[in-house]
Amino acid sequence: MSRDYELGVIFNPEVSEEETRSMLDRIDQIVATHDGQVVRVNQWGRRRLAYPIERHRDGLYVFIDMILTPETVIELERMLKVSEIVLRYMTRKRD
């Protein structure tokens, strides 16, 4: 049963545009493999963090609207947790 989700990711500001793009492509691949759909990718760009994370004061914000199954969410969060370029992430179910 597919549901609407929003994924918010804050990337390390020192990574290149290419590394950020490759991580977004990996997210697309996981979603496509599990028969999900990426509805929209909203890149906010570099913003100031509310508090320092790993000595960084800024981060690259990206929000992704998706339609996927709960099992796919578990797989996405596992991949984001081990990534070194991701400072924080949050997945929430949309109503």
Side-chain angles (χ1 to χ4, degrees), residues 34-60:
H34 292 88
D35 298 326
Q37 178 184 359
V38 173
V39 177
R40 183 176 59 150
V41 177
N42 188 3
Q43 295 189 10
W44 282 14
R46 189 181 188 112
R47 300 282 172 108
R48 175 71 90 195
L49 299 171
Y51 54 90
I53 301 173
E54 298 176 9
R55 302 178 327 276
H56 298 292
R57 299 291 292 160
D58 297 328
L60 300 173

Side-chain angles (χ1 to χ4, degrees), residues 47-81:
R47 300 282 172 108
R48 175 71 90 195
L49 299 171
Y51 54 90
I53 301 173
E54 298 176 9
R55 302 178 327 276
H56 298 292
R57 299 291 292 160
D58 297 328
L60 300 173
Y61 285 71
V62 178
F63 293 93
I64 305 169
D65 294 333
M66 301 176 281
I67 299 172
L68 14 120
T69 61
E71 293 81 21
T72 310
V73 173
I74 293 169
E75 180 67 24
L76 276 174
E77 288 183 347
R78 184 191 64 76
M79 187 264 304
L80 291 169
K81 189 182 298 186

